[in-house]
Amino acid sequence: MPGRFRYFNWTMFVAMIALIATGTMAIWSSGNARAESVFHDMWIANLVTAIFGLAAYFALAFADYRKLLSWAAVPSYAAALVMLTVVLLVGSKVYGGRRWLWFFQPSEISKLCIICLLAKLFGGEPRRTFGWFVAGCALIALPVGLILLEPDLGTALTLIPATLLMLFVARVWRRGLLTLLAIGSIAVFAVLGAVYEAEKPGVTAQRSETILKWVPLKAHQVRRVRVFLFPEEDITGAGYNLRQAKISIGSGGFSGKGIGKGESNHLKYLPQAISMNDFIFCVYAEETGFIGTLLLLAMFGALLIPGAWTAVVAADGCGRLLAIGVSTLVFAHVWINIAMSIGLVPITGLPLPFISSGRTFLVTVMSGLGLIQSVSMHGRENKNELVRMA
Amino acid sequence: MNRDESIVSDLSCWATMVVFIVGLVVLAVNLKEVQIDAAPDYNYEKARQSVRRVQTAGPRGRILDRRGRVLADNRRCVSIVCNAAHFKKKTWDETTRAIIDEIDEIGEILGRSTRLTERSIRRHVNQALAIPLVAWRDVTDEELAKFSERDRLYPGFSVVESEERYYPFGSLAAHLIGYVGHDRSSGNAGDEKFNFSEMELYGRSGLELYYNGFLRGVPGEKKLLVDARGFTVKEWLVAEAARGPDLNLAIDADIQRVVEDQLKGVRGACVVMDPRDGSVLAFASSPSYDLNDFVPSLPHEVYNMYLNDPAKPLLNRASGGAYAPGSTFKPITALAGLAMGYPADEQYDCSGEFTLGTLKLHCARRWGHGPISVRTALKVSCNTFFCNLGCDIGTNAVISAARTFGLGSKTGIDFTDDRAGLVPDDAWKRATYGERWYPGDLAQMSIGQGMLLVSPLQMAVVAGAIGTGYLVTPHIKAGEVSVRRPLPYKKRHLDVVREGMRLVVAGGSGERGGEGVDVPVCGKTGTAEYGSASRRKKNTWFIAYAPAEKPRAAVALIVEDGESGGATAAPRVAQILKRIFNAR
């Protein structure tokens, strides 16, 4: 269908290629600082993965998402549940989490599967009843619960806003969603308040313990919240990562230290285990400065805004939901990752799309963008008819 | 199709887009705060954690005598140092272990084990990891050759050069020059803005201490970039250290050598001064020691040996000693009398002893000098005359004359030891002994005995002042301007004393003080008794100036436990004056 190529969204595509290039550079730079040679070639691995990602991207882009959803949404969701269960049983343990199955992380792929299922279920016809609300929540909760068991809080944190937003824009019993949102906000503030009360200066250990008993967080999570609330304290212990992240980003200044010359990374002040993954933004920000970070935000903007625009111009509910779901997922990753690096939100382990080194995640994000491209290319039929009719 | 019936409204899609834009703008604004507004703070933080400032030491200035001969020099000092950056291991213990192992291996190659202990290595790793650890200081050429053969096996060790103090004349003027030490152990910064200071030589005594600030090398600065564990990654020079300026002394090494030869084998001291401007030409204390023994630091055994030696070699007798001046004080008593109006020709009758109540003071001549005037009294050093004179003019006159000559107070010399000595008076005696001042004390003081204490340096200043009529502040550094105060005595009074002192050498008690000297010498002997009545000991003095008319040299020499001033001290002074005035 050569006519379809008319609606290929070049902005989104070019932004994606630019982000892949930027990410490869950042991975090269951050890997070079490591002593182990295996990290020196990580950028090549990233490029190779990107080629696979591009294959998936074009395959999904040129397929009609409606046909795809109709036959693949349910089986892929089921497969995701199976993989998430299997990984809990036999997955390999890395940094305290059971996330890996052979060479990939099921939790990453399952994000797309959930979004596809929700798009299929709620995009076709209005399902605004309480029953569908419960069903939707259950379908989200099942995989999210399994992911939280790994545990992978970061993935869960990005998946929840993306999927709930899908339900919300599909008008699935909005009263319930708003209530959920309210309860969630109150819970977040309650937890923050409790940790503040327990950890503020001058509180006795006993009182602190009594308060924390009621907080449904693990010890390391309480520590992260405490660092978020009191970033100046304990800068050699729990607050070390955040402080070093901010020093790295801040010392980049306006124009940066130059690519490959980031001192925080080379001198190993940034935690080495995550400087290539969750904290890669700090490496990038120090080397390219404010110009570089602004450019990066612009690239994400050039990716996400057309993503939302695709929803605007898509004719059917499935296409709109798919575009909104995938772009919101990417946006959540971008926003939380950068925000945690500068202390706007507590530190959470999650990758920055395209920039962090992570193969499953890269292929997942590119596949998702392929789906949006498919919506852009195939989703305008009804609208064209409308225009023709008018 | 009606838009309102769409499952997902346009508004929702637009709202999503707005959320994205707002989210990205929020990030941009916060990033601007961190990267633009707070960038200086974070750069400072980064520098504080990753940059170490090191103060480097410059070579110390040399010490030269008045003819440019080097008394204190620097020599090359080769050290083998360990750079911890080559011993990066998972734990600090492993790093320390690896360093110790290699140090032990190299120690066997050199045939000399390091002076470092396991504890000091551990401390270095903990506190001063970024800077090199000196494992062997001052290695010999032979040791260096042994190390160089295998240095490829030990990339963590390198050879560095520094400068070490060296005293070409060994013990010459040892008390004067003083010695240096490594005052600061490396690693502890003396200056707060530096994290580390290189080991620097620091004056510990004598001129090395007094002029430490002058001689000290101009420190330089080096910056080290350290990684998160503190290992040095890179270093760069900020300012090169520079050599300190040379210190030129008024001392003449030739005269100094003659002086020290004259003091060889005895305990004593001698100061030679140019009375015109206060330049100290020689400054010696005996016994002495070799300054090179103190480099890099004096071994404990040697130090203890010096400390327990009854001759007290570490004591600087020339300006730090305190002795009774004995008869060398008599010229001062004479001047006090003349200034009070005592006629120069008036005579006292010397019967051989002076009695005052129960006090009996013998004269040098047991049977007495008979009627005697002031010139002759000086010539023969008659005790009776000066006791009588002192008692006639009174305590205040004698004390004030002593103080006029600077006794009892510091000379103001540019040196670490400048002992004031003691001119006792009623108040002092009451405070110290709870007794009043008796006429007997006055009689004793008039002949330089009793509680009066002076240093040889002070007496050199006194001799010079009598010769020139001016009291000068002595100085050791060349070119220093001295304070010259005219003595408050009439020239004719001074001339009487000068004539008396000329007579001392011309056939008097200090006849041997001018022996063989080509210019006329004026002098005064002194034999100060001390110790208990059963074991009387004598400190023998000779003070002199020459030539008699326009003095260019003033000398004070003391030999502890000598025979007499005339027999022990005077001939030694003559040898010194010969070296100064006789054509070679």
Side-chain angles (χ1 to χ4, degrees), chain A residues 122-125 169 171 243-244 246 249-251 253-254 263-264 267-269 285-286 289-290 293 297 301 304-305 308-309 312 320 327-328 331 335 342 344 386, chain B residues 1 3 6-10 12-14 16-17 19-21 23-24 26-28 30-32 34-36 39 42-43 45-46 48-50 225-228 233:
Chain A
F122 294 97
E125 50 193 277
V169 297
R171 301 187 202 176
R243 182 181 140 86
Q244 292 303 335
K246 285 174 91 170
I249 296 168
S251 65
F254 180 70
E263 284 174 3
S264 281
L267 299 177
K268 302 180 172 55
Y269 286 96
E286 185 185 1
F290 185 54
T293 55
L297 292 181
L304 294 171
I305 294 166
W309 171 250
V312 172
R320 288 189 163 191
S327 349
T328 307
F331 172 77
W335 201 88
I342 52 181
L344 289 182
L386 203 73
Chain B
M1 193 174 171
R3 275 168 195 231
S6 168
I7 287 172
V8 179
S9 69
D10 280 4
S12 303
C13 302
W14 286 110
T16 307
M17 197 190 289
V19 167
F20 291 173
I21 294 171
L24 292 176
V26 166
L27 288 183
N30 278 287
L31 280 169
K32 187 221 158 220
V34 175
Q35 295 197 283
I36 305 290
Y42 286 119
N43 266 315
E45 285 294 309
K46 163 167 282 180
R48 213 181 55 171
Q49 71 179 9
S50 64
L225 189 66
V226 299
D227 68 14
V233 176

Side-chain angles (χ1 to χ4, degrees), chain B residues 142-402:
Chain B
E142 196 188 340
E143 287 167 335
L144 186 62
K146 282 183 192 164
F147 175 72
S148 302
E149 276 173 23
R150 318 244 182 110
D151 61 357
R152 241 172 252 183
L153 296 174
Y154 302 103
F157 288 80
S158 54
V159 173
V160 298
E161 280 186 19
S162 58
E163 299 209 10
E164 190 66 275
R165 211 56 163 159
Y166 170 62
Y167 302 97
F169 291 94
S171 65
L172 189 79
H175 295 92
L176 178 77
I177 294 168
Y179 50 89
V180 293
H182 299 138
D183 204 53
R184 295 190 206 126
S185 61
S186 80
N188 301 335
D191 194 332
E192 274 187 13
K193 56 181 191 176
F194 293 102
N195 303 89
F196 304 108
S197 284
E198 269 184 12
M199 200 137 69
E200 190 186 349
L201 296 176
Y202 197 88
R204 282 279 181 77
S205 80
L207 292 172
E208 293 272 31
L209 172 58
Y210 189 87
Y211 281 109
N212 186 58
F214 179 90
L215 289 165
R216 190 182 165 203
V218 184
E221 186 182 341
K222 211 160 62 172
K223 279 187 176 171
L224 308 177
L225 189 66
V226 299
D227 68 14
R229 297 181 69 195
F231 290 109
T232 300
V233 176
K234 177 169 96 168
E235 65 173 69
W236 65 97
L237 195 70
V238 180
E240 189 119 35
R243 170 187 286 279
D246 288 343
L247 177 66
N248 291 292
L249 302 186
I251 296 289
D252 185 321
D254 291 334
I255 301 174
Q256 178 77 24
R257 201 193 309 268
V258 174
V259 168
E260 290 191 13
D261 285 346
Q262 293 306 315
L263 289 173
K264 198 156 281 173
V266 297
R267 281 173 287 125
C270 175
V271 174
V272 182
M273 193 188 79
D274 186 332
R276 294 169 298 179
D277 64 358
S279 302
V280 174
L281 301 174
F283 183 104
S285 177
S286 177
S288 185
Y289 45 84
D290 191 338
L291 287 173
N292 290 316
D293 288 347
F294 287 78
V295 181
S297 62
L298 193 65
H300 251 281
E301 318 82 72
V302 184
Y303 181 72
N304 284 335
M305 192 187 82
Y306 284 152
L307 213 57
N308 297 330
D309 189 335
K312 294 191 179 154
L314 295 175
L315 175 67
N316 169 25
R317 293 170 159 85
S319 62
Y323 304 93
S327 305
T328 57
F329 185 77
K330 285 174 182 165
I332 297 174
T333 311
L335 265 172
L338 293 165
M340 288 282 284
Y342 180 87
D345 296 324
E346 181 128 339
Q347 295 182 331
Y348 283 107
D349 191 24
C350 171
S351 61
E353 64 177 34
F354 171 81
T355 2
L356 187 76
T358 56
L359 179 76
K360 247 187 202 175
L361 284 170
H362 288 286
C363 193
R365 206 184 209 180
R366 282 299 170 102
W367 56 92
H369 293 103
I372 190 166
S373 72
V374 64
R375 290 187 187 82
T376 328
L378 281 171
K379 176 183 175 184
V380 299
S381 200
C382 174
N383 283 346
T384 315
F385 178 90
F386 285 100
C387 286
N388 280 314
L389 178 60
C391 289
D392 282 358
I393 60 177
T395 306
N396 288 344
V398 177
I399 287 176
S400 93

Side-chain angles (χ1 to χ4, degrees), chain A residues 285-346:
Chain A
E286 185 185 1
E287 298 189 349
T288 61
F290 185 54
I291 295 176
T293 55
L294 219 48
L295 196 66
L296 187 70
L297 292 181
M299 285 190 264
F300 280 121
L303 190 75
L304 294 171
I305 294 166
W309 171 250
T310 303
V312 172
V313 296
D316 67 317
C318 288
R320 288 189 163 191
L321 278 185
L322 204 52
I324 286 178
V326 173
S327 349
T328 307
L329 181 74
V330 174
F331 172 77
H333 269 279
V334 171
W335 201 88
I336 296 177
N337 181 282
I338 296 179
M340 77 169 190
S341 303
I342 52 181
L344 289 182
V345 295

